[in-house]
């Protein structure tokens, strides 16, 4: 089952079931008006949405044309966005950029930050940036949306709670991160609104690429139309999604509709920190990583952070080359406050 | 106007308007079913709720009895909970406890963390604690609920966006904080679910105690029935709410229903770090502060963190001695996972 939220006059948009090939969709307001409403009552609503999805594939269900650019993020606003850092190659590289060692405990105790979830961008919305000096960067990630997770959940309970899988662009402001993290309370201004893929899919849509915890397919990250990252999301993911969920639920429950992110997808290569796509590597899912590689190899970073007008595209294709989630495609624009 | 959310069979409860004396309320499902729905459409809904509030005071409006213990937190789940640390005496004391200096920049650049907002506790709900060794502590705070705030909001826009004022118990797990903050990404497991006062009030209910940014009344924090804190929330608040909102909205908008916290209310005394209530001081709104004072005076902390069975009560009274927001009153209980 593939689900999307069409933008409309409401804050939460309207839920649609999308065909596997992303060309058609059916309105399901008679079942659940919004994705959050569906998640709130998944035991009842989920099977009904599945029947619509089946009807779309057999032709029994009336459909309208689905356009990815009409979609909001599947949850335009969510009650929780908690982002892990499961790919330690990313953690090692961004820390090396600021001359910080990665503690050994990071291999057993997941890193996770509480993100802002009240105002997500749509998958084709511009990224509004106040100042290029803020050092805007994309972060290509995988995420899951969970049902209710009890406090102290087991790995099995966590795995069972995964309802949907989707992609994220976790926009980061690298120029603001060092001083903000130095204050000790984590990210706030340095993590502006994230954007999610047009479509969120149930795990069964992923076939053998999904093992219940990891999604083993390359994440395609393009910058200004050129391949930038092709890292496989199933490789070098030290903590899988159930482990990240268990971490998040250690001291409190997670409400249905909580989104848990993987952190920036990042692959090592022959034990090293990977290699750019242009040099035959899997590349990187954010600019910060390639800047670290450049600093190691050339002494200085060469690739700038995002400028106004730059376009980021994040997508994942199945083994037949079909887009699974639709594409996040965002252009950085100068933010001008209205009024 | 005073608003509350009664617990019912739904996740978001049902909105009621409460009498000024907190004894009566009116159901307003015909205007807005939930507080979030009211905040989503405040320009239309707000004045209608005000008319109900007026009718309650004149007797023109049918009412039912209001019981604080029937109330959920005004927003049982919210899209954002961002907690500042506006009382620098608190910051200085808790940092001193871990031998950390407070940087000078903290006087001009607010500290703020992104909190979990998906699963708040009700004001009279127990605090479920997995392990006493986690070092549970209360934090008595003031908070505001805002309407939509544009990215890059001015102080005036921020002030205008304040819709409601309420109290918070920002439960903290002191035993988990040092290792979590050492990881660099801020709080996650060390900040379990917070609880809010039964009633949220519009700023005009606060009269001259509210100057548009600060609430100048003592916050009554009791531990096991004994006065623990009487700090005045209008004193030593280095950043007022509009400044905290501006900080939160620097790089992204805040959606209506965002809750912004003041941080633990804490007063200095004669330039010093305050004094316990028992010693004639204003006391403290969390245990961590008094433990620091004890460490300074006695060499070791004497007051333990919360044990199973301990009860915390947080309330604020107006200058006539009437409770403004109702009381948060929570007992720490051993968490036992169902099933």
């Amino acid at each position: 089952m593939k689900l999307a939220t069409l933008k409309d006059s409401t804050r939460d948009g309207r839920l649609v079931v999308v065909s596997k090939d992303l060309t058609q969709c059916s309105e399901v307001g008679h079942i659940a008006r919004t994705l959050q409403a569906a998640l709130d009552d998944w035991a009842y609503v989920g099977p009904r949405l599945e029947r619509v999805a089946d009807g779309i594939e057999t032709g029994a269900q009336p459909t309208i044309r689905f356009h990815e650019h009409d979609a909001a993020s599947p949850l335009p606003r969510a009650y929780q966005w908690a982002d892990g850092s499961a790919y330690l190659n990313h953690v090692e590289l961004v820390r090396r950029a600021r001359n910080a060692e990665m503690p050994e405990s990071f291999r057993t105790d997941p890193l996770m930050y509480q993100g802002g979830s009240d105002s997500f961008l749509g998958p084709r919305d511009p990224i509004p940036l106040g100042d290029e000096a803020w050092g805007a960067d994309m972060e290509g990630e995988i995420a899951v949306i969970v049902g209710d997770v009890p406090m102290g959940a087991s790995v099995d309970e966590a795995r069972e709670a995964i309802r949907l899988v989707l992609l994220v662009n976790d926009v980061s402001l690298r120029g603001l991160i060092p001083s903000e993290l130095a204050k000790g309370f984590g990210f706030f201004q340095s993590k502006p609104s994230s954007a999610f893929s047009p479509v969120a899919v149930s795990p069964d849509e992923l076939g053998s690429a999904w093992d219940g915890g990891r999604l083993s397919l390359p994440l395609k990250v393009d910058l200004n139309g050129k391949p930038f990252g092709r890292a496989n999301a199933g490789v070098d993911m030290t903590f899988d999604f159930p482990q990240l969920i268990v971490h998040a639920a250690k001291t409190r429950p997670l409400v249905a509709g909580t989104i848990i992110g993987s952190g920036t997808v990042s692959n090592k290569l022959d034990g090293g920190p990977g290699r750019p796509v242009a040099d035959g590597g899997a590349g990187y899912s954010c600019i910060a990583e390639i800047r670290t590689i450049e600093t190691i190899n050339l002494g200085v970073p060469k690739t700038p952070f995002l400028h106004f007008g730059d376009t980021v595209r994040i997508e994942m294709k199945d083994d037949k080359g079909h887009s699974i989630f639709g594409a996040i495609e965002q252009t950085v624009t100068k933010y001008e406050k209205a009024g």
Side-chain angles (χ1 to χ4, degrees), chain A:
Chain A
M1 174 167 61
K2 299 194 174 192
L3 301 176
T5 295
L6 297 183
K7 293 181 177 183
D8 64 7
S9 61
T10 69
R11 291 174 183 264
D12 296 303
R14 67 182 196 279
L15 180 64
V16 293
V17 178
V18 182
S19 61
K20 289 181 192 297
D21 66 1
L22 307 184
T23 63
Q24 305 290 321
C25 68
S26 282
E27 303 207 0
V28 288
H30 58 297
I31 301 173
R33 286 187 312 110
T34 67
L35 179 54
Q36 183 64 50
L39 291 159
D40 282 349
D41 195 16
W42 192 256
Y44 183 84
V45 170
R48 281 160 181 78
L49 297 177
E50 289 280 7
R51 284 205 285 277
V52 172
D54 292 344
I56 291 174
E57 300 308 320
T58 62
Q61 176 73 30
T63 59
I64 55 175
R65 182 94 192 139
F66 177 71
H67 298 286
E68 292 181 28
H69 60 252
D70 294 337
S73 281
L75 290 169
R77 51 181 180 173
Y79 293 109
Q80 180 157 234
W81 159 232
D83 196 12
S85 233
Y87 299 88
L88 293 185
N89 194 45
H90 170 76
V91 180
E92 285 179 298
L93 284 172
V94 295
R95 290 178 78 94
R96 203 185 294 182
R98 43 187 163 97
N99 287 315
E101 288 273 307
M102 190 183 76
E104 201 50 37
S105 65
F106 281 21
R107 300 188 187 285
T108 52
D109 178 32
L111 259 186
M112 181 173 282
Y113 77 91
Q114 191 86 50
S117 57
D118 63 309
S119 59
F120 293 138
L121 300 171
R124 303 297 170 95
D125 288 351
I127 297 170
L129 182 67
D131 187 337
E132 284 187 341
W134 291 352
D137 196 358
M138 69 279 194
E139 289 197 344
E141 309 189 4
I142 317 296
V144 299
I145 301 177
V146 298
D148 290 301
V149 177
M151 174 172 159
S154 68
V155 170
D156 285 342
E157 287 172 320
R159 191 182 296 108
E160 287 301 308
I162 296 174
R163 299 278 174 266
L164 298 165
V165 182
L166 67 174
L167 307 181
V168 196
N169 180 14
D170 181 47
V171 181
S172 299
L173 302 176
R174 304 288 178 199
L176 304 184
I177 288 180
S179 62
E180 192 154 63
L181 292 194
K183 291 163 71 178
F185 275 19
F187 306 103
F188 200 102
Q189 294 176 336
S190 51
K191 290 283 187 178
S193 305
S194 297
F196 293 80
S197 53
V199 171
V201 313
S202 53
D204 60 287
E205 291 288 339
L206 301 168
S208 62
W210 177 254
D211 69 358
R214 286 182 184 80
L215 179 52
S216 294
L217 286 170
L219 183 68
K220 292 165 59 84
V221 179
D222 291 356
L223 178 58
N224 294 326
K226 294 203 186 79
F228 192 86
R230 294 293 182 268
N232 191 305
V235 173
D236 295 332
M237 189 187 192
T238 304
F239 306 102
D240 68 9
F241 281 108
Q243 290 173 299
L244 295 174
I245 295 164
V246 164
H247 182 85
K250 181 181 174 184
T251 62
R252 57 182 166 93
L254 312 178
V255 88
T258 288
I259 311 173
I260 304 283
S262 67
T264 307
V265 177
S266 185
N267 292 169
K268 287 183 173 296
L269 189 71
D270 305 327
R275 213 184 292 156
V277 173
D279 300 345
Y284 302 98
S285 305
C286 71
I287 295 171
E289 291 188 19
I290 201 169
R291 286 170 59 91
T292 304
I293 300 296
E294 290 164 350
T295 303
I296 294 166
N297 293 340
L298 314 168
V300 287
K302 180 177 101 220
T303 308
F305 289 120
L306 297 171
H307 292 303
F308 299 134
D310 282 349
T311 296
V312 175
R313 186 180 167 97
I314 299 173
E315 194 171 16
M316 182 176 268
K317 297 192 171 175
D318 65 20
D319 52 15
K320 294 185 190 69
H322 299 134
S323 182
I324 300 173
F325 306 97
I328 297 170
E329 188 171 306
Q330 301 187 273
T331 300
V332 179
T333 57
K334 173 98 182 85
Y335 173 67
E336 305 285 358
K337 191 149 73 83

